């Protein structure tokens, strides 16, 4: 996973922005919904927040308050430092967070929880709960006919091929798994808080 994201870092935001390899993807309503997602994130109370697996900081920049971004990929963090200069970024493992109990008010995580297999989702939830009383998770909405859990074939601009685990959610099932509530439900993105 680390090598894949190190190599993907310079082209990662193409996925958010529908550029490069993603320029001919049919994603009706994506841009408007992305604006709504950004507004929902900016609407969270400004507290001490740890953005776990922050990637390029594409969403980190919308979080208000004292924000720390953590990621396993140094190359992702390089992009994040330029893209979200208001936050502090540290390397680290999401399943063994390098922080004392209760260091933060909130753990935020986007498009990371959905890459974990069930046992690791459990480990991550325990770790998030250890460092903060609140957890906000952004994930993909399950498309019609899509399997909820699957291994996806991915390709990068250099032609390299990778296999990535993906769990997608209908919405309520994410809130249930987190034992929380839905904050945002769109056709592309779902946000739940525990
Ligand atoms: C799909 S990206 C999501 C990035 C960002 N949160 C976003 O929504 O654009 C997944 C991120 O998880 C990071 N990652 C994967 N495994 C990790 C781990 N065990 N600890 C910390 N970061 C990890 C990758 O380096 C990558 O930046």
């Amino acid at each position: 996973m680390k090598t894949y994201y190190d190599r993907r870092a310079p082209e990662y935001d193409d996925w958010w922005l529908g550029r490069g390899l993603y320029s001919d993807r049919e994603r009706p309503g994506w841009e408007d919904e992305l604006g709504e997602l950004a507004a929902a994130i900016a609407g969270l109370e400004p507290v001490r927040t740890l953005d776990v697996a922050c990637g390029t900081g594409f969403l980190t920049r919308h979080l208000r308050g004292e924000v720390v971004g953590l990621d396993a990929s140094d190359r992702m963090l390089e992009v994040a430092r330029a893209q979200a200069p208001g936050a502090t970024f540290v390397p680290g493992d999401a399943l063994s967070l390098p922080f004392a109990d209760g260091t933060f008010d909130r753990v935020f995580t986007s498009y990371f929880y959905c890459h974990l297999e069930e046992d690791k989702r459990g480990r991550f939830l325990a770790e998030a709960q250890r460092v903060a009383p609140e957890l906000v998770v952004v994930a993909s909405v399950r498309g019609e006919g899509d399997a909820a859990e699957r291994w996806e074939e991915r390709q990068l601009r250099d032609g390299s091929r990778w296999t990535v685990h993906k769990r997608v959610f209908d919405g309520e099932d994410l809130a249930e798994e987190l034992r929380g509530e839905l904050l945002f439900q769109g056709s592309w993105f779902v946000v739940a808080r525990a």
Side-chain angles (χ1 to χ4, degrees):
M1 189 105 122
K2 181 177 182 316
T3 314
Y4 168 63
Y5 281 111
D6 269 339
R7 286 174 65 171
R8 193 176 167 196
E11 63 195 86
Y12 180 79
D13 285 353
D14 289 353
W15 174 78
W16 280 118
L17 297 169
R19 300 183 311 211
L21 291 179
Y22 303 90
S23 55
D24 55 7
R25 279 217 182 167
E26 286 290 318
R27 298 192 294 194
W30 176 274
E31 272 178 39
D32 288 347
E33 201 175 304
L34 183 52
E36 290 168 28
L37 174 66
I41 292 169
L44 294 168
E45 314 79 63
V47 295
R48 287 176 306 163
T49 301
L50 175 65
D51 182 356
V52 173
C54 60
T56 59
F58 188 84
L59 295 183
T60 317
R61 61 204 163 121
H62 300 298
L63 288 163
R64 296 178 303 134
E66 198 182 307
V67 179
V68 175
L70 173 140
D71 202 279
S73 160
D74 293 324
R75 293 194 66 200
M76 284 285 194
L77 289 173
E78 272 171 36
V79 181
R81 286 188 181 103
Q83 177 146 247
T88 304
F89 291 95
V90 294
D93 181 3
L95 302 183
S96 179
L97 293 169
F99 299 103
D101 298 1
T103 302
F104 297 94
D105 301 307
R106 173 190 304 128
V107 165
F108 172 89
T109 193
S110 164
Y111 280 83
F112 170 66
Y113 189 70
C114 46
H115 286 302
L116 299 173
E117 289 173 79
E118 196 175 355
D119 58 330
K120 289 192 176 156
R121 293 205 295 277
R123 271 174 62 190
F124 170 70
L125 291 181
E127 199 49 1
Q129 209 169 36
R130 184 183 68 74
V131 301
E134 183 185 315
L135 171 66
V136 174
V137 174
V138 180
S140 283
V141 172
R142 183 176 178 178
E144 221 174 285
D146 283 352
E149 196 128 23
R150 59 199 191 232
W151 288 88
E152 291 181 353
E153 293 296 321
R154 301 274 179 92
Q155 190 171 348
L156 297 183
R157 276 202 303 242
D158 63 7
S160 61
R161 289 180 174 277
W162 306 80
T163 308
V164 174
H165 176 267
K166 192 83 189 269
R167 165 78 165 96
V168 285
F169 294 91
D170 295 315
E172 288 295 346
D173 52 352
L174 177 63
E176 264 169 44
E177 187 164 308
L178 300 184
R179 296 199 184 125
E181 53 169 353
L182 268 182
L183 281 188
F184 178 88
Q185 167 82 72
S187 345
W188 297 105
F189 316 114
V190 60
V191 184
R193 168 160 61 186

